[in-house]
Amino acid sequence: MQRRRFLGLTAAGAATAALAPALTACGSDGAGSGTTTLKLVAADYGDSPANSSQKYWDALAREFEEQNSGIKIDVSVYSWTEVDKKVADMVEEGKAPDMAQIGAYADFAAAGKLYSADQLLSIATQADMIASIAHAGEVHRVQYGMPFVSSSRLLFCNKTLFAKAGIAKAPESWDDLQAAAAKLKGIGVPMPFGLPLGPEEAPAETMLWMLSGGSGYTDSTGSYSIDSAENVKTFNWLRDDFVGKGLTGSGDPSRTNRQEVFDAFCKGDVGMLNGHPTLMRQADAKGIKYMMAPLPGIKGTAKSAMGVADWMMAFKQNGHREQIGKFLDFVYSTKNVLTFTGQYDLLPVTTSASEAMRKDAGREKLRQFLDQMDNAEFYPADKTSWAKVSKALKEKIGSTVKSGGDPASVLSEIQRDADGWGS
């Protein structure tokens, strides 16, 4: 989801904070006179230091601390390119944070390191979670991953460039997409279509194209289908009929990150790209005129939309269950959910906040994203192997669209690894 650029701390300061164990008071946590400090490691959804998520968490922590004198909140924010690894390293070193707001939870849950949601959240908070998203946080029918924010994806098109190229409407099929990109290339657009298959968020762009081609990461039984015939066909088409024809610009998609493409779109250098709600604010700030449309498929609009949820989880290592639960109930209050999602144009994961957003005339453009959530497919984040599969995708998927790339071989290799890592 989207977002995710600059460190909230300096690199040295952040590393020091991340590796420091949580501070605890002498004696019993909760009932004694001491103070419990909860350590939270969170991802950065900002695209500059000015709107770093560190500011949100610092303000939220101050407000919570004013209402809960015995609990302090220490938050370290990292970019999405490093936050998952930061947490994994901390856990491996025996210095798990109390909470982590990152991209995957299932491997920690399978290792018995996490509290379940019902051990932490009040009944009212649990009931307010949107069920379809909350279920994606389950491992063996027990919820360990608490969705923090969600988003869906739409095709963004630069209306000014479309008009110059004589393109009347947003593409609905691969043929439309290729034809539009060729016209944009013909008028000198540097990047007719932005294809970020670099390490920042390759799994999202990959899933979008898999859905576009009629498949996905898993089949109807929930088993991995990474090397399905449809997925191989999709990446062959991308290699030969899209990247190979120069329709993604002169750069290397395997080294191109999403924020680079977002930035280029906001400069008017990109004709089309797959984007999430945060891009609207960035484009509006730069005066870019754009339209949004559902994901194009092989013969028409893709049958499934893509939904993304990022996760909050709580580690058992430091034993602060009561204090963590109190803080998370505060985090998931309607007011705080709307404050965060409103800042980054993301979608709420609670029913109360979602309903409030739909009624907000100032958020009208978000309704197109909200409407897709009923038909959205999510990452297979409930699989304990997903974190490793995601890492493999970041490292390897970009090679499939290079000249001479071998999609069938790369997808089969990732499939074999995924099967070996288990469910």
Side-chain angles (χ1 to χ4, degrees), residues 107-126:
D107 48 346
F108 298 127
K113 297 182 181 296
L114 300 181
Y115 288 114
S116 61
D118 62 0
Q119 291 176 306
L120 300 165
L121 303 177
S122 68
I123 293 175
T125 300
Q126 290 183 72

Side-chain angles (χ1 to χ4, degrees), residues 16-17 29 86 101 112 163 257 273 333:
T16 301
D29 286 331
K86 287 285 186 184
Q101 186 270 298
N257 285 327
L273 76 167
S333 69

Side-chain angles (χ1 to χ4, degrees), residues 241-357:
D241 297 309
F242 215 53
V243 177
K245 294 183 182 298
L247 302 180
T248 57
S250 59
D252 179 357
S254 71
R255 296 180 179 273
T256 302
N257 285 327
R258 187 200 53 213
Q259 191 58 44
E260 297 171 40
V261 179
F262 277 21
D263 291 344
F265 184 80
C266 294
K267 293 177 182 177
D269 291 338
V270 178
M272 300 175 285
L273 76 167
N274 293 316
H276 54 71
T278 303
L279 181 56
M280 295 191 302
R281 177 166 299 195
Q282 296 175 26
D284 288 341
K286 297 296 184 179
I288 298 297
K289 296 180 180 180
Y290 59 90
M291 58 182 167
M292 300 177 296
L295 182 68
I298 296 178
K299 297 298 182 182
T301 302
K303 295 180 180 179
S304 298
M306 178 182 174
V308 176
D310 294 330
W311 303 97
M312 179 72 76
M313 62 212 69
F315 290 87
K316 296 190 290 187
Q317 179 178 317
N318 300 315
H320 298 147
R321 182 178 67 84
E322 181 181 346
Q323 295 90 341
I324 293 170
K326 185 174 291 187
F327 178 63
L328 290 180
D329 280 337
F330 182 74
V331 168
Y332 284 104
S333 69
T334 303
K335 176 180 74 72
N336 289 330
V337 170
L338 286 173
T339 297
F340 190 88
T341 55
Q343 182 173 346
Y344 298 108
D345 283 334
L346 293 166
L347 306 183
V349 297
T350 61
T351 300
S352 60
S354 182
E355 290 176 349
M357 181 176 282

Side-chain angles (χ1 to χ4, degrees), residues 95-381:
K95 300 175 181 179
D98 294 284
M99 294 165 286
Q101 186 270 298
I102 54 177
Y105 63 86
D107 48 346
F108 298 127
K113 297 182 181 296
L114 300 181
Y115 288 114
S116 61
D118 62 0
Q119 291 176 306
L120 300 165
L121 303 177
S122 68
I123 293 175
T125 300
Q126 290 183 72
D128 198 26
M129 292 275 182
I130 296 173
S132 60
I133 307 176
H135 286 323
E138 296 178 354
V139 174
H140 302 308
R141 298 186 180 182
V142 177
Q143 184 184 359
Y144 296 96
M146 292 161 279
F148 178 66
V149 290
S150 65
S151 73
S152 60
R153 304 297 167 92
L154 289 167
L155 178 70
F156 281 69
C157 306
N158 183 310
K159 293 174 70 173
T160 302
L161 295 179
F162 267 46
K164 289 181 180 179
I167 305 169
K169 62 178 183 177
E172 296 179 359
S173 68
W174 285 4
D175 286 346
D176 294 343
L177 200 63
Q178 185 186 61
K183 289 181 178 179
L184 291 165
K185 179 183 178 182
I187 63 168
V189 175
M191 190 180 292
F193 188 96
L195 185 66
L197 291 175
E200 182 188 3
E201 208 187 22
E205 190 70 18
T206 298
M207 184 172 175
L208 283 163
W209 284 100
M210 286 179 170
L211 293 174
S212 176
S215 187
Y217 284 127
T218 57
D219 59 22
S220 59
T221 68
S223 299
Y224 280 119
S225 58
I226 296 167
D227 64 348
S228 69
E230 293 89 349
N231 288 340
V232 172
K233 179 181 178 180
T234 293
F235 282 89
N236 280 335
W237 183 85
L238 279 173
R239 180 197 61 196
D240 297 335
D241 297 309
F242 215 53
V243 177
K245 294 183 182 298
L247 302 180
T248 57
S250 59
D252 179 357
S254 71
R255 296 180 179 273
T256 302
N257 285 327
R258 187 200 53 213
Q259 191 58 44
E260 297 171 40
V261 179
F262 277 21
D263 291 344
F265 184 80
C266 294
K267 293 177 182 177
D269 291 338
V270 178
M272 300 175 285
L273 76 167
N274 293 316
H276 54 71
T278 303
L279 181 56
M280 295 191 302
R281 177 166 299 195
Q282 296 175 26
D284 288 341
K286 297 296 184 179
I288 298 297
K289 296 180 180 180
Y290 59 90
M291 58 182 167
M292 300 177 296
L295 182 68
I298 296 178
K299 297 298 182 182
T301 302
K303 295 180 180 179
S304 298
M306 178 182 174
V308 176
D310 294 330
W311 303 97
M312 179 72 76
M313 62 212 69
F315 290 87
K316 296 190 290 187
Q317 179 178 317
N318 300 315
H320 298 147
R321 182 178 67 84
E322 181 181 346
Q323 295 90 341
I324 293 170
K326 185 174 291 187
F327 178 63
L328 290 180
D329 280 337
F330 182 74
V331 168
Y332 284 104
S333 69
T334 303
K335 176 180 74 72
N336 289 330
V337 170
L338 286 173
T339 297
F340 190 88
T341 55
Q343 182 173 346
Y344 298 108
D345 283 334
L346 293 166
L347 306 183
V349 297
T350 61
T351 300
S352 60
S354 182
E355 290 176 349
M357 181 176 282
R358 281 188 180 277
K359 295 175 182 177
D360 185 349
R363 303 289 177 193
E364 184 176 356
K365 288 197 293 186
L366 282 171
R367 292 173 190 164
Q368 196 170 349
F369 291 94
L370 284 168
D371 290 343
Q372 289 200 130
M373 295 305 290
D374 291 339
N375 188 38
E377 293 193 21
F378 291 82
Y379 290 143

